[in-house]
Amino acid sequence: MENFNFHVATDIRFGKDRLSELPEVINTFGKNVLLVYGGGSIKQNGLYDKVRHALQAATVVELAGVEPNPRIETVTKGAALCREHHIDVILAVGGGSVIDCSKAIAGGAYVEGDLWENLVLKRQYNGPAIPIVTILTLAATGSEMNRGGVISNMQTQQKLGMGGKNLLPKVSFLDPTNTFTVNAYQTAAGSADIFSHLMENYFNATPGTDVQDGVAEGLMKTVIHHLPIALKEPENYDARANLMWASTLALNGLTGSGKTGTWSCHAMEHELSAFYDITHGIGLAILTPRWMAHILNETTVPKFARFAKEVWGIQEENPEQAARKGIQALYDFFLENGVPMTLPEVGIDTEKDFDQMAQQAIAHSTISKAAFVPLQKEDVIQIYQASQTPSTFI
Amino acid sequence: MENFNFHVATDIRFGKDRLSELPEVINTFGKNVLLVYGGGSIKQNGLYDKVRHALQAATVVELAGVEPNPRIETVTKGAALCREHHIDVILAVGGGSVIDCSKAIAGGAYVEGDLWENLVLKRQYNGPAIPIVTILTLAATGSEMNRGGVISNMQTQQKLGMGGKNLLPKVSFLDPTNTFTVNAYQTAAGSADIFSHLMENYFNATPGTDVQDGVAEGLMKTVIHHLPIALKEPENYDARANLMWASTLALNGLTGSGKTGTWSCHAMEHELSAFYDITHGIGLAILTPRWMAHILNETTVPKFARFAKEVWGIQEENPEQAARKGIQALYDFFLENGVPMTLPEVGIDTEKDFDQMAQQAIAHSTISKAAFVPLQKEDVIQIYQASQTPSTFI
């Protein structure tokens, strides 16, 4: 296990009927609130009205329409609003996109000049930031309890992660009932995102990390158990609650601390989203089993066999067979839960950008050097290619 | 899953060679330091010298000799020292006893009059407290990242838990090498304590808590894997690191949040310690399998069967048989790792106090109403009695 810091001070308010706590929470930080949200689903399901009601005593400026892959233009607009209206606190009501966007705004308000150049491209931001409070509406990214975010620039076809210690949300309201209206596709995509965070941390070369891996296995099993229930019964509270809390813990440092190395599938997926604006979680679900099969070798097989046994309960003596069965189980799980498992199904029906996307995946990350198994451009292209048609792994 | 708050802001500095960070950490809080430690093992292993060296710039007052079950007299003494020397920060160097004692001192410094009456017997303390920094030397109680502590009063034969929001350590240094010199007995007792925290949270009647239970299972498997390694190779870094981080996560709220109900074995064990001053973890290891067997019934059998399967990998179709095999596996695990598994082996060779201890276990806790399976006085006596001789459960 490597040395690490773990200091995740977000005040989590988990459960239903807790919006009465919002005024006091907001008041801790000030009166001027930037309310950030997405495409209006919170207006349809009534959450918007409840939040506005709870904010009666505050001065509220709105930034609506944050994109599913939040764009730098929206960040720039939000940062300008913060400066213009002397915003004291940002209230992000939405999923990871809204919260990620709010993080970039929170720091961006203090950054001069072009925010793509001076904030996102720097990747690490250690300056001051406006405090963020979140009300989560999608179990997926974990952004509600971590320091990072991902911002897209459609002009340059770049989608880049950034983060900073002051971007950690101060308070996050996690009410599972706010995810009752999330449709089946987005629910599955969110769970694929959770699963991918766990997998990216799990398949890592640092030895002696059983705490992190045991926690990850427990969270994976939780997703495997509860996603089908949530799809069948969208208002099943316990299913939504388990997915929500799993999403938060999957990426708050618990399963990644004490490990070194970079993530593989996220680097490859960010290029799919940057070029084709597809749903992040779906892209991850498509790439992950192909990536696993691509990197399965003598060195990696023990971890794959452990994954098969501990996560899927596969009783198989031969490590390579166990590994393949585990990959198949993951692929089938996504498939059975309605995830389109090939690139053409999400509109990527040509290889024409594979070369450039692979090049950028290498350029924007350290996967060619620091991944669980380092990936070169040719590897990435092969993984994209393998994702074009249905697969079997056994 | 029940509503919960999770706000655990302790700044964890995990890993080796990090004491160079101590001066800056201490300086954040002030110059006057109360250094609290136990029986002097830190003098033998060199940690004391390193800490004193790191505190060169500070004004240090010492409170040495904190007992394994820390006593109210020591708390009172520490609180007086804090007031007399205008202490800014308490540095607790030790295991759970030292940290628990430091928590009571941290709050007690602000409490008038008798600290047993006005602090411990109140159980919940919401007043101000001196900031606490810890350097952990034993993987066991989890006190390094939670708000609670246990204090003993040998005169009244009481051992009671207390806690408060301001008693959470601000910074905790978790260096696995500081546990290299912990002997086999204390290492096993510490692991039994970790395991018990996980079990107490796991065997709970709240439905729909798979995140918490999955995390607990992962941590249990970590302890099962690494305790024998640590016993065989006391300086195996990864084994010590996994036990240490598991101890912290076992009781920082992760596995208990979202559940209601009280703990059973701790309530029963606290009376063993209060009457006979035995090692807490050993008492827990002795009681736990007997408690499990005592409460195994039609309602509880599914959770026991899950425990057997997920934690011990027991493949057994019949739920009751699976449950019994799981209990046996736990008992054998403790036994194989050198834990004395009967009461006479730890010096309790008479039944004479069982009646009074059982009565106090009920009086000092809510186990008769709010436990996984509520326990009356007769139940507790039977569990004590079953702990007198070696057991088999299958």
Side-chain angles (χ1 to χ4, degrees):
Chain A
M1 198 185 295
E2 301 290 338
N3 285 9
F4 63 86
N5 288 2
F6 184 85
H7 188 197
V8 192
T10 305
D11 178 353
I12 297 287
R13 313 281 177 108
F14 193 100
K16 49 193 165 191
D17 303 325
R18 303 196 61 166
L19 271 193
S20 60
E21 299 166 27
L22 186 62
E24 197 194 326
V25 164
I26 291 294
N27 208 36
T28 317
F29 304 106
K31 288 277 174 211
N32 297 329
V33 181
L34 181 69
L35 174 63
V36 182
Y37 58 99
S41 63
I42 62 165
K43 290 198 170 166
Q44 286 157 31
N45 68 14
L47 180 57
Y48 174 85
D49 289 337
K50 286 184 206 163
V51 169
R52 287 302 315 227
H53 182 78
L55 293 176
Q56 277 178 106
T59 305
V60 180
V61 176
E62 294 201 4
L63 176 66
V66 173
E67 306 80 11
N69 289 309
R71 302 192 186 174
I72 186 63
E73 293 82 1
T74 311
V75 172
T76 302
K77 195 171 151 191
L81 286 173
C82 287
R83 287 189 285 252
E84 188 186 336
H85 298 279
H86 307 286
I87 293 298
D88 299 309
V89 52
I90 298 175
L91 177 60
V93 184
S97 305
V98 168
I99 302 172
D100 283 8
C101 186
S102 297
K103 287 176 181 172
I105 292 169
Y110 290 91
V111 173
E112 301 287 328
D114 183 76
L115 293 187
W116 186 253
E117 288 288 331
N118 299 340
L119 179 69
V120 181
L121 283 183
K122 304 275 190 213
R123 310 302 282 273
Q124 189 65 33
Y125 174 74
N126 292 321
I130 297 170
I132 298 169
V133 174
T134 85
I135 299 175
L136 186 66
T137 63
L138 182 71
T141 73
S143 191
E144 62 276 11
M145 202 184 185
N146 67 39
R147 294 167 173 75
V150 181
I151 303 298
S152 293
N153 185 334
M154 300 313 279
Q155 284 186 324
T156 61
Q157 285 184 316
Q158 284 175 299
K159 180 178 175 180
L160 297 177
M162 56 156 289
K165 58 180 178 165
N166 294 321
L167 306 183
L168 182 74
K170 302 291 184 195
V171 183
S172 282
F173 287 87
L174 273 53
D175 180 346
T177 69
N178 286 334
T179 64
F180 281 1
T181 54
V182 176
N183 68 29
Y185 188 78
Q186 289 300 336
T187 299
S191 287
D193 197 24
I194 303 170
F195 219 97
S196 178
H197 298 155
L198 295 167
M199 300 280 285
E200 298 267 30
N201 284 333
Y202 187 80
F203 289 100
N204 177 288
T206 311
T209 57
D210 292 287
V211 166
Q212 294 86 335
D213 295 340
V215 170
E217 288 161 355
L219 297 176
M220 286 185 208
K221 284 190 280 192
T222 301
V223 174
I224 292 166
H225 181 74
H226 285 289
L227 172 59
I229 299 173
L231 293 177
K232 214 168 160 184
E233 307 164 28
E235 303 201 357
N236 184 308
Y237 183 84
D238 278 337
R240 294 295 194 177
N242 276 282
L243 291 178
M244 185 172 257
W245 192 216
S247 78
T248 307
L249 298 185
L251 199 51
N252 76 341
L254 268 184
T255 68
S257 294
K259 300 183 168 207
T260 52
T262 196
W263 289 7
S264 301
C265 291
H266 273 67
M268 294 186 284
E269 197 291 321
H270 281 180
E271 302 311 322
L272 296 183
S273 292
F275 278 69
Y276 294 94
D277 205 16
I278 68 168
T279 302
H280 176 56
I282 301 295
L284 292 168
I286 295 171
L287 293 176
T288 300
R290 279 75 179 215
W291 163 72
M292 294 169 80
H294 187 84
I295 63 165
L296 177 60
N297 62 35
E298 270 187 20
T299 311
T300 62
V301 74
K303 195 66 178 269
F304 278 105
R306 172 174 171 166
F307 170 75
K309 184 182 171 210
E310 298 296 342
V311 177
W312 300 99
I314 291 166
Q315 304 292 319
E316 162 67 59
E317 291 297 318
N318 179 293
E320 199 198 318
Q321 282 308 309
R324 294 192 174 280
K325 286 181 183 178
I327 300 171
Q328 187 71 49
L330 179 67
Y331 181 89
D332 293 345
F333 169 72
F334 287 137
L335 205 60
E336 286 158 13
N337 286 291
V339 178
M341 287 301 286
T342 64
L343 291 179
E345 288 172 82
V346 294
I348 305 174
D349 53 4
T350 162
E351 292 199 16
K352 74 177 169 56
D353 296 314
F354 284 6
D355 193 275
Q356 204 192 336
M357 291 195 301
Q359 202 166 315
Q360 292 216 19
I362 306 285
H364 295 153
S365 74
T366 52
I367 57 171
S368 68
K369 294 185 192 81
F372 179 51
V373 175
L375 301 172
Q376 307 310 324
K377 187 178 144 189
E378 266 315 304
D379 297 298
V380 178
I381 290 173
Q382 284 171 30
I383 292 165
Y384 287 148
Q385 286 172 333
S387 304
Q388 293 180 294
T389 50
S391 304
T392 51
F393 301 93
I394 299 178
Chain B
M1 200 183 295
E2 302 289 339
N3 285 8
F4 63 87
N5 288 3
F6 184 86
H7 188 200
V8 191
T10 306
D11 179 352
I12 296 288
R13 313 281 178 106
F14 194 100
K16 50 194 162 190
D17 303 325
R18 302 195 62 167
L19 271 193
S20 60
E21 299 166 29
L22 185 62
E24 196 194 328
V25 164
I26 291 293
N27 208 35
T28 316
F29 304 106
K31 289 276 173 212
N32 297 328
V33 181
L34 180 69
L35 175 61
V36 182
Y37 59 100
S41 63
I42 63 166
K43 289 198 172 167
Q44 285 158 33
N45 69 14
L47 180 57
Y48 174 84
D49 289 337
K50 287 184 205 162
V51 169
R52 287 301 313 230
H53 183 77
L55 293 175
Q56 276 179 106
T59 305
V60 180
V61 176
E62 294 202 4
L63 176 67
V66 173
E67 306 81 10
N69 289 308
R71 301 188 188 178
I72 186 62
E73 293 81 1
T74 312
V75 172
T76 302
K77 195 172 151 191
L81 286 172
C82 287
R83 286 189 287 250
E84 187 186 337
H85 298 279
H86 306 286
I87 292 298
D88 299 310
V89 53
I90 299 174
L91 178 60
V93 184
S97 305
V98 168
I99 302 173
D100 283 9
C101 186
S102 297
K103 287 177 181 173
I105 293 169
Y110 290 92
V111 173
E112 301 287 329
D114 181 77
L115 293 187
W116 185 255
E117 288 287 332
N118 298 341
L119 178 71
V120 181
L121 283 183
K122 305 276 192 212
R123 311 301 284 272
Q124 188 64 34
Y125 173 75
N126 291 322
I130 297 170
I132 299 168
V133 173
T134 85
I135 299 175
L136 187 66
T137 63
L138 182 71
T141 74
S143 191
E144 61 276 11
M145 201 184 185
N146 66 38
R147 293 166 174 76
V150 180
I151 303 298
S152 293
N153 185 333
M154 300 312 278
Q155 285 187 322
T156 62
Q157 285 185 316
Q158 283 176 301
K159 180 177 174 181
L160 297 176
M162 55 155 291
K165 58 180 179 166
N166 294 321
L167 306 183
L168 183 74
K170 302 291 184 196
V171 183
S172 282
F173 287 87
L174 272 53
D175 181 346
T177 68
N178 286 334
T179 65
F180 281 1
T181 52
V182 177
N183 68 29
Y185 189 78
Q186 289 300 336
T187 299
S191 286
D193 198 23
I194 303 170
F195 219 98
S196 178
H197 297 155
L198 295 167
M199 300 280 284
E200 299 267 31
N201 285 333
Y202 187 80
F203 289 101
N204 177 288
T206 310
T209 57
D210 292 287
V211 166
Q212 294 85 336
D213 295 340
V215 170
E217 287 161 357
L219 297 176
M220 287 185 209
K221 285 190 280 192
T222 301
V223 174
I224 292 165
H225 181 74
H226 286 288
L227 172 60
I229 300 173
L231 292 177
K232 215 169 162 183
E233 307 163 28
E235 303 202 357
N236 184 306
Y237 183 84
D238 279 337
R240 294 293 194 177
N242 276 282
L243 292 178
M244 186 171 256
W245 192 217
S247 78
T248 307
L249 298 184
L251 200 50
N252 76 341
L254 267 184
T255 68
S257 294
K259 301 183 169 207
T260 52
T262 196
W263 288 9
S264 302
C265 291
H266 273 68
M268 293 186 285
E269 197 291 320
H270 280 182
E271 303 310 323
L272 296 183
S273 292
F275 278 69
Y276 294 94
D277 205 17
I278 69 168
T279 302
H280 175 56
I282 301 295
L284 292 168
I286 295 171
L287 293 175
T288 301
R290 278 77 179 213
W291 163 71
M292 295 169 81
H294 188 84
I295 63 165
L296 176 60
N297 61 36
E298 271 188 17
T299 311
T300 61
V301 74
K303 195 65 177 271
F304 278 104
R306 171 174 172 167
F307 170 74
K309 184 182 171 208
E310 299 295 342
V311 177
W312 300 98
I314 290 166
Q315 305 291 319
E316 161 66 58
E317 291 297 317
N318 180 293
E320 200 198 319
Q321 282 308 310
R324 293 192 176 280
K325 286 183 182 177
I327 300 171
Q328 188 71 49
L330 178 67
Y331 182 88
D332 293 345
F333 168 72
F334 287 138
L335 205 61
E336 285 159 12
N337 286 290
V339 179
M341 286 301 285
T342 64
L343 291 179
E345 288 173 80
V346 294
I348 306 174
D349 53 3
T350 162
E351 292 199 15
K352 74 177 168 59
D353 297 314
F354 285 5
D355 192 275
Q356 205 194 336
M357 291 195 302
Q359 203 167 314
Q360 292 216 18
I362 306 286
H364 295 154
S365 74
T366 53
I367 56 170
S368 67
K369 295 186 192 78
F372 179 50
V373 174
L375 301 173
Q376 308 310 323
K377 188 178 145 190
E378 265 314 304
D379 297 298
V380 178
I381 291 174
Q382 285 170 29
I383 291 165
Y384 288 148
Q385 285 173 334
S387 303
Q388 292 180 294
T389 51
S391 304
T392 52
F393 301 93
I394 299 176

